[in-house]
Amino acid sequence: MFGKKAQPPIKSLIAQGSRIEGNLKFTEGLRVDGEVFGNISSNPEQPSILVISEAASVVGEISADHVIINGTVRGPVHAKELLELQPKARIEGDVHYRNLEMHQGAVIAGQMKPMDPIPGEKPLLKLAATAV
């Protein structure tokens, strides 16, 4: 899906210094630089991208098509298409993914559970190497 089509645009931002308490639903793209205490989920009828930046903290369940994490998440993560874990990603909870890209330094304290692959599609597991 994301290798062949353009990714949805990021139209919403939770800025650093902001704190959201409660569940959050979004369409298309969301970037979190602040704190969220509640679940974050995308509209299941549209492609979605969720970015959790290095400065961000989420306590709750995350669900989107394409999830990029470089901050802290305390709760389960569901990436329906692709999960990218950047070097400073810290996850305390189970991780569900169809395809995974994990950089050196990312930490998961929980179970990693691959979703069933789409028929005819090879699952992708990519470990990103650090340039020396």
Side-chain angles (χ1 to χ4, degrees):
M1 173 181 188
F2 290 105
K4 300 171 187 161
K5 297 179 184 176
Q7 291 183 351
I10 294 179
K11 292 187 172 182
S12 301
L13 168 69
I14 298 172
Q16 192 170 0
S18 298
R19 177 181 171 131
I20 304 290
E21 295 182 10
N23 296 334
L24 179 65
K25 294 190 179 209
F26 70 96
T27 57
E28 298 188 272
L30 170 66
R31 178 182 171 102
V32 178
D33 291 341
E35 298 176 306
V36 176
F37 292 86
N39 301 332
I40 301 174
S41 61
S42 65
N43 180 346
E45 297 175 11
Q46 292 182 313
S48 60
I49 184 168
L50 172 63
V51 178
I52 307 296
S53 77
E54 182 180 339
S57 174
V58 176
V59 178
E61 184 173 354
I62 288 176
S63 180
D65 291 332
H66 185 175
V67 180
I68 302 170
I69 299 175
N70 200 25
T72 302
V73 176
R74 290 184 181 90
V77 176
H78 300 269
K80 298 173 200 150
E81 294 297 329
L82 175 61
L83 174 61
E84 292 183 49
L85 300 177
Q86 300 294 319
K88 295 191 178 180
R90 301 289 176 265
I91 300 174
E92 294 177 19
D94 293 345
V95 174
H96 306 263
Y97 60 91
R98 186 169 316 280
N99 297 297
L100 174 67
E101 180 176 326
M102 186 170 181
H103 289 254
Q104 186 175 2
V107 175
I108 299 172
Q111 294 185 1
M112 297 177 66
K113 300 178 179 182
M115 294 179 179
D116 294 329
I118 296 172
E121 183 178 288
K122 280 175 54 176
L124 170 69
L125 174 60
K126 180 179 176 185
L127 300 176
T130 306
V132 181

Coordinates of all heavy atoms in Angstrom, one line a residue, residues 21-112:
E21 N -5.9 14.6 27.1 CA -6.4 13.6 28.0 C -7.8 13.1 27.4 O -8.7 13.9 27.4 CB -6.6 14.1 29.4 CG -5.3 14.4 30.1 CD -5.4 14.9 31.5 OE1 -6.5 14.8 32.1 OE2 -4.4 15.4 32.0
G22 N -7.8 11.9 26.9 CA -9.0 11.3 26.3 C -8.6 10.7 25.0 O -7.5 10.8 24.5
N23 N -9.6 9.9 24.5 CA -9.3 9.2 23.2 C -9.4 10.2 22.0 O -10.1 11.1 22.0 CB -10.4 8.1 23.0 CG -10.3 7.0 24.1 OD1 -9.2 6.8 24.7 ND2 -11.4 6.4 24.4
L24 N -8.5 9.8 21.0 CA -8.4 10.7 19.9 C -8.6 9.9 18.6 O -7.9 8.8 18.4 CB -7.0 11.3 19.9 CG -6.5 12.3 18.8 CD1 -7.4 13.5 18.8 CD2 -5.1 12.6 19.0
K25 N -9.4 10.4 17.7 CA -9.6 9.7 16.4 C -9.2 10.7 15.3 O -9.5 11.9 15.4 CB -11.0 9.3 16.2 CG -11.4 8.2 17.1 CD -12.8 7.6 16.8 CE -13.1 6.5 17.8 NZ -13.9 5.5 17.3
F26 N -8.5 10.2 14.3 CA -8.0 11.2 13.2 C -8.2 10.5 11.9 O -8.4 9.3 11.7 CB -6.6 11.6 13.5 CG -5.6 10.4 13.2 CD1 -4.9 10.3 12.0 CD2 -5.3 9.5 14.2 CE1 -4.0 9.3 11.8 CE2 -4.4 8.5 14.0 CZ -3.8 8.4 12.7
T27 N -8.2 11.4 10.8 CA -8.2 10.9 9.4 C -6.9 11.4 8.8 O -6.3 12.3 9.2 CB -9.4 11.5 8.7 OG1 -9.3 12.9 8.7 CG2 -10.7 11.1 9.2
E28 N -6.5 10.6 7.8 CA -5.2 10.8 7.1 C -4.0 10.8 7.9 O -3.5 9.7 8.2 CB -5.4 12.1 6.2 CG -6.5 11.9 5.2 CD -6.5 13.1 4.2 OE1 -7.2 14.1 4.5 OE2 -5.9 12.9 3.2
G29 N -3.4 11.9 8.3 CA -2.2 11.9 9.0 C -2.2 12.8 10.3 O -2.8 13.8 10.4
L30 N -1.5 12.3 11.3 CA -1.3 12.9 12.6 C 0.1 12.8 13.1 O 0.7 11.7 13.0 CB -2.3 12.3 13.7 CG -2.1 12.7 15.1 CD1 -2.5 14.2 15.3 CD2 -2.9 11.9 16.0
R31 N 0.6 13.9 13.6 CA 2.0 13.9 14.2 C 1.8 14.3 15.7 O 1.1 15.3 16.0 CB 2.9 14.9 13.5 CG 4.3 15.0 14.2 CD 5.2 16.0 13.5 NE 6.4 16.2 14.2 CZ 7.6 15.6 13.9 NH1 7.7 14.8 12.8 NH2 8.7 15.8 14.6
V32 N 2.4 13.6 16.6 CA 2.3 13.9 18.0 C 3.7 14.2 18.5 O 4.7 13.5 18.4 CB 1.8 12.6 18.8 CG1 1.8 13.0 20.3 CG2 0.4 12.2 18.3
D33 N 3.9 15.5 19.0 CA 5.1 15.9 19.6 C 4.9 16.2 21.1 O 5.9 16.3 21.8 CB 5.6 17.3 19.0 CG 6.0 17.1 17.5 OD1 6.3 16.0 17.1 OD2 6.1 18.1 16.8
G34 N 3.7 16.2 21.5 CA 3.3 16.4 22.9 C 3.0 15.1 23.7 O 3.5 14.0 23.4
E35 N 2.0 15.2 24.6 CA 1.6 14.1 25.4 C 0.2 13.7 25.2 O -0.7 14.6 25.1 CB 1.7 14.4 26.9 CG 3.2 14.7 27.4 CD 3.2 15.1 28.8 OE1 2.4 16.0 29.2 OE2 3.9 14.5 29.6
V36 N -0.1 12.4 25.1 CA -1.5 12.0 24.9 C -1.7 10.9 26.0 O -1.0 9.9 26.0 CB -1.8 11.4 23.5 CG1 -3.2 10.8 23.4 CG2 -1.6 12.5 22.4
F37 N -2.8 11.1 26.8 CA -3.2 10.1 27.7 C -4.6 9.6 27.3 O -5.6 10.1 27.7 CB -3.3 10.7 29.1 CG -1.9 11.1 29.7 CD1 -1.3 12.3 29.4 CD2 -1.2 10.2 30.5 CE1 -0.1 12.6 29.9 CE2 0.1 10.5 30.9 CZ 0.6 11.7 30.6
G38 N -4.6 8.6 26.4 CA -5.8 8.0 25.9 C -5.4 7.3 24.6 O -4.3 7.3 24.1
N39 N -6.4 6.6 24.0 CA -6.1 5.9 22.8 C -6.1 6.8 21.5 O -6.9 7.8 21.5 CB -7.2 4.8 22.6 CG -7.3 3.8 23.8 OD1 -6.3 3.6 24.4 ND2 -8.4 3.3 24.1
I40 N -5.3 6.4 20.6 CA -5.2 7.2 19.3 C -5.6 6.2 18.2 O -4.9 5.1 18.1 CB -3.8 7.7 19.0 CG1 -3.4 8.7 20.2 CG2 -3.8 8.4 17.7 CD1 -2.0 9.2 20.0
S41 N -6.6 6.5 17.4 CA -6.9 5.6 16.3 C -7.3 6.4 15.1 O -7.8 7.5 15.1 CB -8.1 4.6 16.7 OG -9.2 5.4 17.0
S42 N -7.1 5.7 13.9 CA -7.4 6.4 12.6 C -8.7 5.9 12.1 O -9.3 4.8 12.6 CB -6.3 6.0 11.6 OG -6.3 4.6 11.4
N43 N -9.2 6.6 11.1 CA -10.4 6.2 10.4 C -10.1 4.9 9.6 O -9.2 5.0 8.7 CB -10.9 7.3 9.5 CG -12.2 7.0 8.7 OD1 -12.6 5.8 8.7 ND2 -12.8 8.0 8.2
P44 N -10.8 3.8 9.9 CA -10.4 2.6 9.2 C -10.7 2.5 7.7 O -10.3 1.7 7.0 CB -11.2 1.5 9.9 CG -12.3 2.2 10.6 CD -11.8 3.6 10.8
E45 N -11.5 3.5 7.2 CA -11.9 3.6 5.8 C -11.0 4.3 5.0 O -11.2 4.4 3.7 CB -13.3 4.1 5.7 CG -14.4 3.2 6.5 CD -15.8 3.8 6.5 OE1 -16.0 4.8 5.8 OE2 -16.6 3.3 7.2
Q46 N -10.0 5.0 5.5 CA -9.0 5.8 4.7 C -7.6 5.4 5.1 O -7.4 5.1 6.3 CB -9.2 7.3 5.0 CG -10.5 7.9 4.6 CD -10.5 9.4 4.9 OE1 -10.2 9.8 6.0 NE2 -10.9 10.2 3.9
P47 N -6.7 5.5 4.2 CA -5.3 5.3 4.5 C -4.8 6.3 5.6 O -5.3 7.4 5.6 CB -4.5 5.5 3.2 CG -5.5 5.4 2.1 CD -6.8 5.8 2.8
S48 N -3.9 5.9 6.5 CA -3.5 6.8 7.6 C -2.1 6.6 7.9 O -1.5 5.6 7.7 CB -4.4 6.5 8.8 OG -4.2 5.2 9.3
I49 N -1.5 7.7 8.5 CA -0.1 7.7 9.0 C -0.1 8.4 10.3 O -0.8 9.4 10.5 CB 0.9 8.3 8.0 CG1 2.3 8.2 8.5 CG2 0.5 9.7 7.7 CD1 3.4 8.5 7.5
L50 N 0.6 7.8 11.3 CA 0.7 8.4 12.6 C 2.2 8.4 13.0 O 2.9 7.4 12.9 CB 0.0 7.5 13.6 CG 0.1 7.9 15.1 CD1 -0.4 9.3 15.4 CD2 -0.5 6.8 16.0
V51 N 2.6 9.6 13.3 CA 4.0 9.8 13.7 C 4.1 10.2 15.2 O 3.5 11.2 15.6 CB 4.7 11.0 12.8 CG1 6.1 11.2 13.3 CG2 4.6 10.6 11.4
I52 N 4.9 9.5 16.0 CA 5.1 9.8 17.4 C 6.6 10.2 17.4 O 7.5 9.4 17.3 CB 4.9 8.5 18.3 CG1 3.5 7.9 18.0 CG2 5.1 8.9 19.7 CD1 2.3 8.8 18.4
S53 N 6.8 11.5 17.6 CA 8.2 12.0 17.5 C 9.0 11.7 18.8 O 8.5 11.2 19.8 CB 8.1 13.6 17.3 OG 7.8 14.2 18.5
E54 N 10.3 12.1 18.7 CA 11.2 11.8 19.8 C 10.7 12.4 21.1 O 10.9 11.9 22.2 CB 12.6 12.3 19.4 CG 13.7 12.1 20.4 CD 15.0 12.6 20.0 OE1 15.2 12.8 18.8 OE2 15.8 12.8 20.8
A55 N 10.1 13.6 21.1 CA 9.7 14.3 22.3 C 8.4 13.9 22.8 O 7.9 14.3 23.9 CB 9.6 15.8 21.9
A56 N 7.6 13.0 22.0 CA 6.3 12.6 22.4 C 6.2 11.5 23.4 O 7.1 10.7 23.5 CB 5.5 12.3 21.1
S57 N 5.0 11.5 24.1 CA 4.7 10.4 25.0 C 3.2 10.1 24.8 O 2.4 11.0 24.9 CB 5.0 10.8 26.4 OG 4.6 9.9 27.3
V58 N 2.9 8.8 24.7 CA 1.6 8.3 24.6 C 1.3 7.2 25.6 O 2.1 6.3 25.7 CB 1.3 7.8 23.1 CG1 -0.2 7.2 23.1 CG2 1.5 8.9 22.1
V59 N 0.3 7.4 26.4 CA -0.2 6.3 27.3 C -1.5 5.9 26.8 O -2.5 6.6 27.0 CB -0.2 6.8 28.8 CG1 -0.7 5.7 29.7 CG2 1.2 7.3 29.2
G60 N -1.6 4.8 26.1 CA -2.9 4.3 25.5 C -2.6 3.4 24.3 O -1.4 3.3 23.9
E61 N -3.6 3.0 23.7 CA -3.5 2.1 22.5 C -3.4 3.0 21.3 O -4.1 4.0 21.2 CB -4.8 1.2 22.5 CG -4.7 0.2 21.4 CD -5.9 -0.8 21.4 OE1 -6.7 -0.7 22.4 OE2 -6.0 -1.6 20.5
I62 N -2.6 2.5 20.3 CA -2.4 3.2 19.1 C -2.8 2.2 17.9 O -2.5 1.1 17.9 CB -0.9 3.5 18.9 CG1 -0.5 4.7 19.8 CG2 -0.6 3.9 17.5 CD1 1.0 5.0 19.8
S63 N -3.6 2.8 17.0 CA -4.0 2.0 15.8 C -4.0 2.9 14.6 O -4.8 3.9 14.6 CB -5.4 1.4 16.1 OG -5.8 0.6 15.0
A64 N -3.3 2.5 13.6 CA -3.2 3.2 12.3 C -2.6 2.3 11.2 O -2.1 1.3 11.6 CB -2.5 4.5 12.4
D65 N -2.7 2.7 10.0 CA -2.1 1.9 8.9 C -0.6 1.9 9.0 O 0.0 0.9 9.0 CB -2.6 2.4 7.5 CG -4.1 2.2 7.3 OD1 -4.6 1.2 7.8 OD2 -4.7 2.9 6.5
H66 N 0.0 3.1 8.9 CA 1.4 3.3 9.0 C 1.8 4.1 10.2 O 1.3 5.2 10.4 CB 1.8 4.1 7.7 CG 3.3 4.3 7.6 ND1 3.9 4.9 6.4 CD2 4.4 3.9 8.3 CE1 5.2 4.9 6.6 NE2 5.5 4.3 7.7
V67 N 2.6 3.4 11.1 CA 2.9 4.0 12.4 C 4.4 4.2 12.4 O 5.2 3.3 12.2 CB 2.4 3.2 13.6 CG1 2.8 3.8 14.9 CG2 0.9 3.0 13.5
I68 N 4.9 5.4 12.7 CA 6.3 5.7 12.9 C 6.5 6.2 14.3 O 5.8 7.2 14.8 CB 6.8 6.8 11.9 CG1 6.5 6.4 10.5 CG2 8.2 7.2 12.1 CD1 6.7 7.5 9.5
I69 N 7.4 5.5 15.1 CA 7.6 5.9 16.5 C 9.0 6.2 16.7 O 9.9 5.4 16.4 CB 7.1 4.7 17.4 CG1 5.6 4.4 17.2 CG2 7.4 5.0 18.9 CD1 5.1 3.2 18.0
N70 N 9.3 7.3 17.4 CA 10.6 7.7 17.8 C 10.6 8.2 19.3 O 11.5 8.7 19.8 CB 11.3 8.7 16.9 CG 12.8 8.7 17.1 OD1 13.4 7.7 17.5 ND2 13.4 9.8 16.7
G71 N 9.4 8.1 19.9 CA 9.2 8.5 21.3 C 8.8 7.4 22.2 O 9.1 6.2 21.9
T72 N 8.0 7.7 23.2 CA 7.6 6.7 24.2 C 6.1 6.3 24.1 O 5.3 7.3 24.0 CB 7.9 7.2 25.6 OG1 9.3 7.5 25.7 CG2 7.5 6.2 26.7
V73 N 5.8 5.1 24.0 CA 4.5 4.6 24.0 C 4.3 3.6 25.1 O 5.1 2.6 25.2 CB 4.1 4.0 22.6 CG1 2.7 3.4 22.7 CG2 4.2 5.0 21.5
R74 N 3.3 3.8 25.9 CA 2.9 2.8 27.0 C 1.5 2.3 26.7 O 0.5 2.9 27.0 CB 2.9 3.4 28.4 CG 4.4 3.7 28.8 CD 4.4 4.3 30.2 NE 5.8 4.6 30.6 CZ 6.4 5.8 30.4 NH1 5.7 6.8 29.8 NH2 7.6 6.0 30.7
G75 N 1.5 1.1 25.9 CA 0.2 0.6 25.5 C 0.4 -0.2 24.2 O 1.5 -0.1 23.6
P76 N -0.6 -1.0 23.8 CA -0.4 -1.8 22.6 C -0.4 -0.9 21.3 O -1.0 0.2 21.3 CB -1.6 -2.7 22.6 CG -2.6 -2.0 23.5 CD -1.9 -1.2 24.5
V77 N 0.4 -1.4 20.3 CA 0.5 -0.7 19.0 C 0.0 -1.6 17.9 O 0.4 -2.8 17.9 CB 2.0 -0.3 18.8 CG1 2.1 0.3 17.4 CG2 2.5 0.6 19.8
H78 N -0.9 -1.1 17.1 CA -1.5 -1.9 16.0 C -1.1 -1.1 14.7 O -1.7 0.0 14.5 CB -3.0 -2.0 16.1 CG -3.4 -2.8 17.3 ND1 -3.6 -4.1 17.4 CD2 -3.7 -2.3 18.6 CE1 -3.9 -4.5 18.6 NE2 -4.0 -3.4 19.3
A79 N -0.2 -1.6 13.9 CA 0.1 -1.0 12.6 C -0.4 -1.9 11.5 O 0.1 -3.0 11.3 CB 1.6 -0.8 12.5
K80 N -1.5 -1.5 10.8 CA -2.2 -2.4 9.9 C -1.4 -2.6 8.6 O -1.6 -3.6 7.9 CB -3.5 -1.8 9.5 CG -4.4 -1.7 10.8 CD -5.7 -1.0 10.4 CE -6.3 -0.5 11.7 NZ -7.1 0.7 11.5
E81 N -0.4 -1.7 8.3 CA 0.4 -1.9 7.1 C 1.9 -1.9 7.5 O 2.6 -2.9 7.2 CB 0.1 -0.8 6.1 CG -1.2 -0.8 5.5 CD -1.5 -2.0 4.7 OE1 -0.6 -2.6 4.1 OE2 -2.7 -2.4 4.7
L82 N 2.4 -0.9 8.1 CA 3.8 -0.8 8.3 C 4.1 -0.1 9.7 O 3.5 0.9 10.0 CB 4.5 0.1 7.2 CG 6.0 0.4 7.4 CD1 6.8 -0.9 7.4 CD2 6.5 1.3 6.3
L83 N 5.0 -0.7 10.4 CA 5.5 -0.1 11.7 C 6.9 0.2 11.6 O 7.7 -0.7 11.3 CB 5.2 -1.1 12.9 CG 5.8 -0.6 14.2 CD1 5.2 0.7 14.7 CD2 5.6 -1.7 15.2
E84 N 7.3 1.5 11.7 CA 8.7 1.9 11.7 C 9.1 2.3 13.1 O 8.5 3.3 13.7 CB 8.9 3.1 10.8 CG 8.7 2.8 9.3 CD 8.9 4.0 8.4 OE1 10.0 4.7 8.6 OE2 8.1 4.4 7.6
L85 N 10.1 1.7 13.6 CA 10.6 2.0 15.0 C 12.0 2.7 14.8 O 12.9 2.1 14.4 CB 10.7 0.8 15.8 CG 9.4 0.0 16.1 CD1 9.6 -1.2 16.9 CD2 8.4 0.9 16.7
Q86 N 12.0 4.0 15.1 CA 13.2 4.8 15.0 C 14.1 4.5 16.2 O 13.7 3.9 17.1 CB 12.8 6.2 14.9 CG 12.0 6.6 13.7 CD 12.6 6.4 12.4 OE1 13.8 6.7 12.2 NE2 11.9 5.9 11.4
P87 N 15.4 5.0 16.2 CA 16.4 4.6 17.2 C 15.9 4.9 18.6 O 16.4 4.3 19.6 CB 17.6 5.4 16.8 CG 17.5 5.6 15.3 CD 16.0 5.7 15.1
K88 N 15.1 6.0 18.9 CA 14.8 6.3 20.2 C 13.4 5.9 20.6 O 12.8 6.3 21.7 CB 14.9 7.8 20.4 CG 16.4 8.3 20.3 CD 16.6 9.7 20.7 CE 18.1 10.0 20.5 NZ 18.5 11.3 20.9
A89 N 12.8 4.9 19.9 CA 11.5 4.4 20.2 C 11.6 3.6 21.4 O 12.5 2.7 21.6 CB 11.0 3.6 19.0
R90 N 10.6 3.8 22.3 CA 10.5 3.0 23.6 C 9.0 2.6 23.7 O 8.1 3.4 23.8 CB 10.8 3.8 24.8 CG 12.3 4.4 24.8 CD 13.3 3.2 25.0 NE 14.7 3.7 24.9 CZ 15.4 3.7 23.8 NH1 14.9 3.2 22.7 NH2 16.6 4.1 23.8
I91 N 8.7 1.3 23.6 CA 7.4 0.8 23.7 C 7.2 -0.2 24.8 O 8.0 -1.1 24.9 CB 6.9 0.1 22.4 CG1 7.0 1.1 21.2 CG2 5.5 -0.5 22.5 CD1 6.8 0.4 19.8
E92 N 6.2 0.1 25.7 CA 5.9 -0.9 26.8 C 4.5 -1.4 26.4 O 3.5 -0.7 26.8 CB 5.9 -0.1 28.1 CG 7.2 0.3 28.6 CD 7.2 1.1 29.9 OE1 6.2 1.0 30.6 OE2 8.1 1.9 30.1
G93 N 4.4 -2.5 25.7 CA 3.1 -3.1 25.3 C 3.3 -4.0 24.1 O 4.4 -4.0 23.5
D94 N 2.3 -4.7 23.8 CA 2.4 -5.6 22.7 C 2.3 -4.8 21.4 O 1.7 -3.8 21.3 CB 1.3 -6.7 22.7 CG 1.4 -7.6 23.9 OD1 2.5 -7.7 24.5 OD2 0.5 -8.3 24.2
V95 N 3.1 -5.4 20.4 CA 3.2 -4.7 19.1 C 2.6 -5.6 18.0 O 3.0 -6.8 17.9 CB 4.6 -4.4 18.8 CG1 4.8 -3.8 17.4 CG2 5.2 -3.4 19.8
H96 N 1.6 -5.2 17.3 CA 1.0 -5.9 16.2 C 1.3 -5.2 14.9 O 1.0 -4.0 14.8 CB -0.6 -6.0 16.4 CG -1.0 -6.5 17.7 ND1 -1.3 -7.8 17.9 CD2 -1.0 -5.9 18.9 CE1 -1.6 -8.0 19.2 NE2 -1.5 -6.8 19.8
Y97 N 1.8 -5.9 13.9 CA 2.3 -5.3 12.7 C 2.1 -6.2 11.5 O 2.1 -7.4 11.6 CB 3.7 -4.8 12.8 CG 4.6 -6.0 13.0 CD1 5.2 -6.7 12.0 CD2 4.9 -6.4 14.3 CE1 6.0 -7.8 12.2 CE2 5.7 -7.5 14.6 CZ 6.3 -8.2 13.5 OH 7.0 -9.3 13.7
R98 N 2.0 -5.7 10.3 CA 2.0 -6.5 9.1 C 3.4 -6.5 8.5 O 4.0 -7.5 8.2 CB 1.0 -5.9 8.0 CG 0.9 -6.8 6.8 CD -0.2 -6.5 5.9 NE -1.5 -6.2 6.5 CZ -2.4 -7.1 7.0 NH1 -2.1 -8.3 6.9 NH2 -3.5 -6.7 7.5
N99 N 4.1 -5.3 8.5 CA 5.4 -5.1 8.0 C 6.2 -4.3 9.1 O 5.6 -3.4 9.7 CB 5.5 -4.4 6.7 CG 4.9 -5.2 5.6 OD1 5.3 -6.3 5.3 ND2 3.8 -4.7 5.0
L100 N 7.4 -4.6 9.3 CA 8.2 -4.0 10.4 C 9.5 -3.5 9.9 O 10.2 -4.2 9.2 CB 8.4 -4.9 11.6 CG 9.2 -4.5 12.7 CD1 8.6 -3.4 13.5 CD2 9.5 -5.7 13.7
E101 N 9.9 -2.3 10.3 CA 11.2 -1.7 10.1 C 11.7 -1.2 11.4 O 11.1 -0.3 12.0 CB 11.2 -0.6 9.0 CG 12.6 0.0 8.8 CD 12.6 1.0 7.7 OE1 11.9 0.9 6.8 OE2 13.4 2.0 7.9
M102 N 12.8 -1.8 11.9 CA 13.3 -1.4 13.3 C 14.7 -1.0 13.2 O 15.6 -1.7 12.8 CB 13.1 -2.7 14.2 CG 13.4 -2.4 15.6 SD 12.9 -3.9 16.6 CE 13.3 -3.4 18.2
H103 N 15.0 0.2 13.7 CA 16.3 0.7 13.8 C 17.0 0.3 15.1 O 16.4 0.0 16.1 CB 16.3 2.2 13.7 CG 15.9 2.8 12.4 ND1 16.8 3.3 11.5 CD2 14.7 2.8 11.8 CE1 16.2 3.7 10.4 NE2 14.9 3.4 10.5
Q104 N 18.3 0.2 15.0 CA 19.1 -0.2 16.2 C 18.9 0.9 17.3 O 18.9 2.1 17.0 CB 20.6 -0.2 15.8 CG 21.5 -0.7 16.9 CD 23.0 -0.8 16.4 OE1 23.3 -0.5 15.3 NE2 23.8 -1.2 17.3
G105 N 18.6 0.4 18.5 CA 18.4 1.3 19.6 C 16.9 1.3 20.0 O 16.6 1.6 21.2
A106 N 16.0 0.9 19.2 CA 14.6 0.9 19.5 C 14.4 -0.3 20.5 O 15.0 -1.3 20.5 CB 13.8 0.6 18.3
V107 N 13.5 0.0 21.5 CA 13.2 -1.0 22.6 C 11.7 -1.3 22.6 O 10.9 -0.4 22.6 CB 13.7 -0.5 23.9 CG1 13.4 -1.4 25.0 CG2 15.2 -0.2 23.9
I108 N 11.4 -2.6 22.7 CA 10.1 -3.1 22.9 C 10.0 -3.9 24.1 O 10.7 -5.0 24.2 CB 9.5 -3.9 21.7 CG1 9.6 -3.0 20.4 CG2 8.1 -4.4 22.0 CD1 9.3 -3.8 19.2
A109 N 9.2 -3.6 25.1 CA 9.0 -4.4 26.3 C 7.6 -5.0 26.2 O 6.6 -4.4 26.6 CB 9.1 -3.6 27.6
G110 N 7.4 -6.0 25.4 CA 6.1 -6.7 25.1 C 6.3 -7.7 24.0 O 7.4 -7.9 23.6
Q111 N 5.2 -8.3 23.6 CA 5.3 -9.3 22.6 C 5.2 -8.6 21.2 O 4.5 -7.6 21.0 CB 4.2 -10.3 22.7 CG 4.3 -11.1 24.0 CD 3.2 -12.2 24.1 OE1 2.4 -12.3 23.2 NE2 3.3 -13.0 25.1
M112 N 5.9 -9.2 20.2 CA 5.8 -8.8 18.8 C 4.9 -9.8 18.1 O 5.3 -11.0 18.1 CB 7.2 -8.7 18.2 CG 8.0 -7.6 18.9 SD 9.7 -7.5 18.2 CE 9.4 -6.9 16.6

